[in-house]
Every structure is written in C-alpha cells, then in structure tokens.
C-alpha cells in the first residue's frame, strides 16, 4: 500500500469531513504543505489553489510576514483568557478593524468562527430591543439563497431548502425569510425585487429585531451577485420599519469583491457587521462582530446591563496577531489593482465556457469567478479530473467557481481557467 493510500485509509477510520458521510469513498487528497498559491500533496503533486481555503488564504500559504507575526507572538503567549485580562494583539486588531470598517462601527466582539459571529450579531440585536423595552422584537428577517453558517441560529436564517430546515424543523426557530432579489450586480434594482421584503417588514416589524444579509454576494447559498441599489433600499426599509441591519461580510470582507468591504459598493453602513474567513489571512480561526455606539450603549443601559456572550478562546492572541499582520499586508499592497486585474482576467478567460452545452451562466465579480451548470456536478468524477489538471478547485452543487489568493499571477490563473474549461468540455449530457 502506498503512503498516499495509507493516509486516506487512516483518515477514513476516524474522521468526519465538511458536509460528508463518515468513511465516504469520495476522492480525498492528503496535503503535505502549502506555499504561495501551491498546495503540495503527499505524493509530490503540486496544485494551483483556486479556493483560498474557502475565501480565507488571501495572501497564499506560508507567507513570511504572517509566519513572523505568529511566531513572535508565540514567544509571548499563545493564549490567555479574556475575562478580566487584555493584551496588545487584541487591542491592535480591534483598533485596526474600527479604523478600516464603515465609520459608525466602533466596537469589536471577537469570537472563534463565522457562525458564532452571526449568533453574536443576532444576540446583540435582540438585546438592543430588549433594552429599549421592546422584548417582542426577537426574530430575524433574512432572504432566500442566504448562507450564514451551520450553528442553529445561523441555520435558521439560511436558505430554507439548502439550509435543511425540514431536517431540523422542530429544533429551529422560525424566522422570516423574504425572496432574494433577482437583479444582478450590473442591473438596476426593480420594485419587484423589493416587494417580498417590504411586505414582510410591514407586516411583522413588531417582532423583527434585524434584517440580516450578505452584502452584494450570496456565497455558499448559490454564488449570486446582486445590485448595490438593493442594499441601499434595504437600509432605507430598515430605518423606516425600526429594525437593525446586520451585514454578514464573513465571505466578502477584505477586498474580495473589489471594495475592502462589499457594503461600500452601496455606500451604506450596517448597525452590526460580521467578519471572519479572510480576517486572519487563513492562518487561524477567528471572527468578529462589530457594532456602533448606539447599539453598544443601549445594551449597556438596559437589563441585564451586560452583553450575554463570552467564548473560552475569545480574542486568541495568536489569531489576533495573524489578523493584524494580514490586514497590514493587504493594505500595504496595491490590492485594488490586483483584484481589478484578476477580475478582468477571469471575465475574459471564463467567457468561452458560456458556449459549452452544460453551462448555464458565467459571472465574475472582483476576485470571484463562477461557472454555473444546468446540472449538479458529479464530484466523484470531476474532482480527480481537476486534480489531474494540476488545480485545487472544489465544485459544489451546480457551481464550479474560483476565489484564488490575491497573489496569483496570470499564468497560474490561466491554469485554473483552462482546467475548468477542459473538465466541463468532457461532461457528457
Ligand atoms: C463561511 C460563512 C459563514 C460561517 O463561517 P464559519 O467560520 O464556517 O462558521 C457565515 N456567513 C458567511 C457569509 C460565510 O461565507
């Protein structure tokens, strides 16, 4: 038995993987190391990374400055409890986040993962209205095709079909789910895009604490890009109906859509903002929930006078030092030009896919390239073909998509694009 297959067998004896069955025979690839935009497999093969480890490794892997920041912090402490204690990495990262996010956001609550950042955002919204003696406002309004994470509150606000609401129906809170806008990023937002959310807000605002949206890009719920005008209109609707606006920028944050934060496309500010994924440049798990002074002070002044959340690993110093280094690397680079160049290259390169019979749509925004097929991808046959082409691309459902590290060059982008074209060409109808 080769080392490679031994690895796989050991894994299948004891490990679960994301959204998979235990011991599944779907393709699995042991990784030895990763550096820059390359992933090195245990059998020596090198793959160009098209995924940034799910939106997160924006500077590629094994980045010298990131490594330096984390190993320096390791000399001081890897972790210390955050109850009653504080440290420089947390202070520095929080100050930096307040500086670079929309003006009104002034406070930072650190958590371990994106899903928990969403839970915290929802709790903040509920405590805000509770403090204002409006304890009825405890529901959230989200939209179809949304994805906000895998924990229970996050599931309850994700797409009811993709989000498996029927499986967990007795355990999930019933939220309000409006239709998603049909307008694309390039199009104007029409009356028809807003009817459903308008109606639900009007009818139910007395029990709604907040509207929750992924700005501009709906990620894992279908990689849909919608018009900035829709966001502007929803901000107005929130004000009019006395509900808070929570934006989930866990996927879109830190430059991915061409703006540092996707809400900048619409020039609006949320009351609460969730960050995660690229926050530490893919080095460590860390997420954050930011809010404005009104929300923070109202929570303080109400009952019970505290915000009711506090994870064991809150503001982990190693993760905070990685976060700070990642933001410095990003802002010190000509990231806007880089994303623009990736966008233009993806637009041009993926366009020919449109003529292939299995393809339904091709769309690109910032450093995100999406090829949508008519039928779901057969991962069992497509994944090995992609690896044979020397790329790491992880299709899901009807989508084959790219969100490469920002450091990728045009030759490497070409390898990713050609691989997608080749595997789709071979799909038999
Ligand atoms: C990934 C993601 C989450 C969940 O983050 P985890 O770190 O996986 O818990 C939430 N919202 C959006 C938009 C995401 O892309």
């Amino acid at each position: 038995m080769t080392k490679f297959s031994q690895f796989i067998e050991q894994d299948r004896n004891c490990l679960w993987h994301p959204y998979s069955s235990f011991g599944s025979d779907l393709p699995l690839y042991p990784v030895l190391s990763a550096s820059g935009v390359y992933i090195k497999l245990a059998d020596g093969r090198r793959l160009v990374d098209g995924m940034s480890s799910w939106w997160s490794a924006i500077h590629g892997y094994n980045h010298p400055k990131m490594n330096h920041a984390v190993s320096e912090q390791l000399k001081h402490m890897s972790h210390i409890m955050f109850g009653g204690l504080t440290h420089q990495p947390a202070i520095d990262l929080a100050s930096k986040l307040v500086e670079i996010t929309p003006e009104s956001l002034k406070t930072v609550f650190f958590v371990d993962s994106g899903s928990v950042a969403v839970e915290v955002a929802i709790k903040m919204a509920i405590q805000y209205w509770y403090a204002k003696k409006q304890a009825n406002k405890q529901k959230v309004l989200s939209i179809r095709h949304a994805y906000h994470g895998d924990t229970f509150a996050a599931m309850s606000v994700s797409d009811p079909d993709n989000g498996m609401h029927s499986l967990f129906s007795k355990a999930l809170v019933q939220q309000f789910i409006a239709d998603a806008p049909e307008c694309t990023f390039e199009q104007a937002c029409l009356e028809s895009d807003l009817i459903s959310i308008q109606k639900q807000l009007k009818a139910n605002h007395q029990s709604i604490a907040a509207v929750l949206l992924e700005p501009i890009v709906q990620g894992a719920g279908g990689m849909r890009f919608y018009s900035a005008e829709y966001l502007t209109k929803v901000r107005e609707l929130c004000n009019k109906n006395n509900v808070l606006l929570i934006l989930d920028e866990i996927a879109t944050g830190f430059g991915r859509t061409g703006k540092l934060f996707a809400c900048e496309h619409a020039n609006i500010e949320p009351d609460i903002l969730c960050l995660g994924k690229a926050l530490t440049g893919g080095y460590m798990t860390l997420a954050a929930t930011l809010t404005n002074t009104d929300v923070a002070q109202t929570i303080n002044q109400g009952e019970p006078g505290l915000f009711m959340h506090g994870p064991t690993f809150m503001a982990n110093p190693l993760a905070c030092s990685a976060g700070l280094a990642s933001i410095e690397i990003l802002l010190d680079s000509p990231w806007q030009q880089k994303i623009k160049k990736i966008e233009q290259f993806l637009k041009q390169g993926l366009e020919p896919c449109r003529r292939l019979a299995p393809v339904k749509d091709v769309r690109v925004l910032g450093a995100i390239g999406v090829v949508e097929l008519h039928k779901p991808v057969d991962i069992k046959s497509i994944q090995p073909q992609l690896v044979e082409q020397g790329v790491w691309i992880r299709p899901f459902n009807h989508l084959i998509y790219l969100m490469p590290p920002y450091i990728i060059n045009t030759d490497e982008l070409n390898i990713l694009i050609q691989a997608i074209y080749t595997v789709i060409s071979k799909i038999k109808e």
Side-chain angles (χ1 to χ4, degrees):
M1 193 184 276
T2 64
K3 189 107 190 283
F4 201 75
S5 46
Q6 222 172 356
F7 246 123
I8 296 170
E9 189 167 305
Q10 285 171 344
D11 174 289
R12 288 195 168 135
N13 274 330
C14 57
L15 279 169
W16 292 94
H17 285 265
Y19 284 96
S20 72
S21 56
F22 177 75
S24 125
D25 63 348
L26 289 178
L28 184 67
Y29 302 92
V31 176
L32 277 190
S33 61
S35 186
V37 292
Y38 289 93
I39 297 172
K40 189 175 170 195
L41 300 184
D43 59 6
R45 280 182 289 179
R46 260 170 28 123
L47 308 179
V48 177
D49 176 31
M51 304 305 294
S52 302
S53 285
W54 281 331
W55 314 86
S56 65
I58 53 176
H59 313 300
Y61 303 90
N62 226 332
H63 192 289
K65 280 190 191 152
M66 295 285 302
N67 290 359
H68 181 74
V70 176
S71 50
E72 281 304 303
Q73 180 52 41
L74 192 54
K75 291 178 190 164
H76 300 291
M77 64 188 157
S78 62
H79 184 65
I80 192 80
M81 65 184 280
F82 210 53
L85 298 174
T86 192
H87 47 80
Q88 206 67 51
I91 294 167
D92 291 347
L93 179 58
S95 317
K96 186 56 103 181
L97 289 174
V98 166
E99 180 193 322
I100 66 174
T101 52
E103 185 62 36
S104 59
L105 301 171
K106 300 287 187 205
T107 75
V108 181
F109 193 100
F110 284 119
V111 291
D112 318 315
S113 75
S115 303
V116 180
V118 170
E119 302 275 333
V120 163
I122 295 172
K123 280 170 119 175
M124 280 181 178
I126 292 173
Q127 276 201 242
Y128 174 80
W129 293 112
Y130 189 86
K132 282 178 163 298
K133 308 267 185 285
Q134 300 192 50
N136 279 336
K137 286 166 86 72
Q138 302 221 336
K139 300 266 181 178
V140 176
L141 189 158
S142 63
I143 60 176
R144 289 193 172 267
H145 304 292
Y147 176 76
H148 296 290
D150 290 351
T151 53
F152 275 89
M155 266 198 291
S156 75
V157 287
S158 296
D159 186 274
D161 304 323
N162 291 337
M164 304 153 302
H165 283 205
S166 55
L167 172 56
F168 297 106
S169 63
K170 298 275 190 300
L172 283 182
V173 174
Q174 276 261 306
Q175 309 282 14
F176 296 104
I177 314 255
D179 293 337
E182 290 298 325
C183 50
T184 66
F185 181 72
E186 289 83 10
Q187 291 171 341
C189 170
L190 304 176
E191 283 288 306
S192 55
D193 292 313
L194 290 155
I195 286 178
S196 167
I197 193 167
Q198 240 161 354
K199 258 196 201 156
Q200 297 215 21
L201 276 172
K202 194 169 173 202
N204 306 302
H205 64 92
Q206 276 153 338
S207 51
I208 296 175
V211 167
L212 167 60
L213 293 177
E214 296 153 273
I216 308 295
V217 175
Q218 293 191 290
M223 303 295 278
R224 295 160 51 100
F225 310 152
Y226 65 80
S227 166
E229 241 186 296
Y230 176 80
L231 259 192
T232 316
K233 294 273 165 51
V234 170
R235 175 73 268 187
E236 286 166 14
L237 285 173
C238 288
N239 295 349
K240 203 173 115 190
N241 289 283
N242 240 0
V243 306
L244 298 178
L245 177 63
I246 304 171
L247 290 183
D248 175 352
E249 293 239 18
I250 290 164
T252 51
F254 304 100
R256 183 58 68 178
T257 68
K259 301 278 187 191
L260 196 52
F261 298 100
C263 61
E264 294 170 25
H265 287 285
N267 242 321
I268 57 139
E269 304 202 357
D271 301 290
I272 302 174
L273 175 72
C274 301
L275 300 175
K277 292 203 162 104
L279 174 58
T280 65
Y283 262 57
M284 240 154 317
T285 176
L286 183 72
T289 307
L290 283 79
T291 191
N292 58 33
T293 326
D294 175 34
V295 172
Q297 284 180 353
T298 304
I299 290 172
N300 289 351
Q301 286 154 12
E303 282 289 313
L306 339 154
F307 180 59
M308 301 302 278
H309 204 90
T312 306
F313 286 97
M314 186 168 185
N316 173 261
L318 284 179
C320 288
S321 65
L324 193 62
S326 175
I327 294 171
E328 278 169 4
I329 293 165
L330 181 67
L331 298 184
D332 286 347
S333 74
W335 61 272
Q336 277 143 313
Q337 282 147 269
K338 284 202 277 184
I339 306 285
K340 196 85 221 157
K341 199 165 156 194
I342 295 173
E343 180 176 60
Q344 282 161 354
F345 205 84
L346 286 176
K347 274 190 174 156
Q348 218 174 40
L350 290 174
E351 192 55 31
C353 292
R354 214 183 277 279
R355 293 193 292 272
L356 298 171
V359 173
K360 185 178 173 198
D361 187 33
V362 176
R363 49 187 181 269
V364 173
L365 178 66
I368 313 167
V370 181
V371 180
E372 182 173 346
L373 308 184
H374 291 288
K375 292 182 186 161
V377 174
D378 174 14
I379 196 89
K380 198 167 176 173
S381 88
I382 295 285
Q383 189 74 84
Q385 290 181 46
L386 287 164
V387 170
E388 262 162 52
Q389 302 280 324
V391 299
W392 181 244
I393 298 171
R394 179 81 177 154
F396 82 95
N397 260 329
H398 297 67
L399 305 171
I400 305 182
Y401 63 104
L402 296 173
M403 40 206 193
Y406 304 163
I407 56 161
I408 197 164
N409 67 31
T410 50
D411 290 341
E412 292 152 350
L413 269 177
N414 226 351
I415 295 172
L416 293 172
I417 290 165
Q418 290 315 314
I420 290 182
Y421 188 87
T422 306
V423 300
I424 298 177
S425 313
K426 288 185 186 157
I427 294 176
K428 293 182 197 74
E429 281 296 279

